[in-house]
Amino acid sequence: MRYFEDFKPGESVQLGSHTITRDEIIAFGRQFDPQPFHVDEEAARATIFGGLIASGWHTGSLIMRLFCDGVIGDTASLGSPGIDEMRWLKPVRPGDTLSLRMTVTDCVPSRSKPDRGIIRTLLELSNQRGEVVVSIKGMNLIRRRPA
Amino acid sequence: MRYFEDFKPGESVQLGSHTITRDEIIAFGRQFDPQPFHVDEEAARATIFGGLIASGWHTGSLIMRLFCDGVIGDTASLGSPGIDEMRWLKPVRPGDTLSLRMTVTDCVPSRSKPDRGIIRTLLELSNQRGEVVVSIKGMNLIRRRPA
């Protein structure tokens, strides 16, 4: 189990990857973001994207999954107050293999609650060509190691 | 069809609502955010949240759906470069009825591309008690009205 003290600014690690399918893109789009370029292959061809692309909420959620599997699932996490920024930098298309890098940017003990601290991270999702497609500046509340 | 010129700073409108179920929370959690408080009712009781809560990526995606149904689906949208902030302010629990308010905060024509502009919005998701549970500072690229 990882605690607040186990995170250090400057730590940068490669986490897992996921290959996104056409069916996943369409299923997510139908549920949460039914714009033509997320749900309809043919209509998508006529848009500025020239074809089907994943919703940015889908790729953000995939970042959460890879972050969960690689870090948070084995960390004394107390949830998150939010994120400071998310950038959708490049389109994500069916068949793209997406891999996540986490860089720890800041670790601050809580002033009001001595049992926890906040870590800030830069989460970068890259495709198989090494292009960063989505970036997130995240925050997580993490329990301090019990004395 | 709504164009860039149809958005004005200060516009604030109530959009649709959605009642979130236990099964939706668990299904989303299993796929994208399998922390105990998102996927396991019994384990969730022992956490600081005292029960099952929706993933913040789930509620963010629900905001997108309500925003899509209420605004973007009938707007000449060219996608989005990202969001500037998302805050998970209160837990969202099974049975909560979530409704969205959009407030337009800024409308700026593009300097480099005369066919579009960028609108900035504050998206606030509230529960049935009127408490804001999630807020997002969003951006959208919108086509200008054809001459």
Side-chain angles (χ1 to χ4, degrees), chain B residues 12 16 21 25 38 40 63 68 81 90 99 108 119-120:
Chain B
S12 187
T21 68
I25 289 174
H38 299 320
D40 182 334
I63 288 176
C68 209
K90 300 248 181 206
S99 55
V108 182
I119 64 157
R120 287 172 196 272

Side-chain angles (χ1 to χ4, degrees), chain A residues 82-95:
Chain A
I83 63 173
D84 275 341
E85 186 186 286
M86 174 157 54
R87 288 292 176 267
W88 297 310
L89 302 164
K90 300 247 181 206
V92 170
R93 301 182 189 275

Side-chain angles (χ1 to χ4, degrees), chain A residues 15 62-74 100, chain B residues 32-35:
Chain A
L15 303 175
L62 276 176
I63 288 176
M64 185 66 227
R65 177 60 191 254
L66 295 171
F67 187 46
C68 210
D69 289 351
V71 178
I72 287 297
D74 190 38
L100 186 65
Chain B
F32 294 115
D33 194 352
Q35 298 183 75

Side-chain angles (χ1 to χ4, degrees), chain B residues 12 15 20 28 41-42 54 63 66-67 70 80 83-84 87 92 94 97 106 110 113 125 143:
Chain B
S12 187
L15 304 175
I20 197 166
F28 190 99
E41 241 173 341
E42 202 174 307
I63 288 176
L66 295 171
F67 187 47
S80 165
I83 63 173
D84 274 343
R87 288 291 176 270
V92 170
T97 297
D106 202 21
S110 168
K113 297 184 177 170
L125 192 70
R143 212 182 277 281

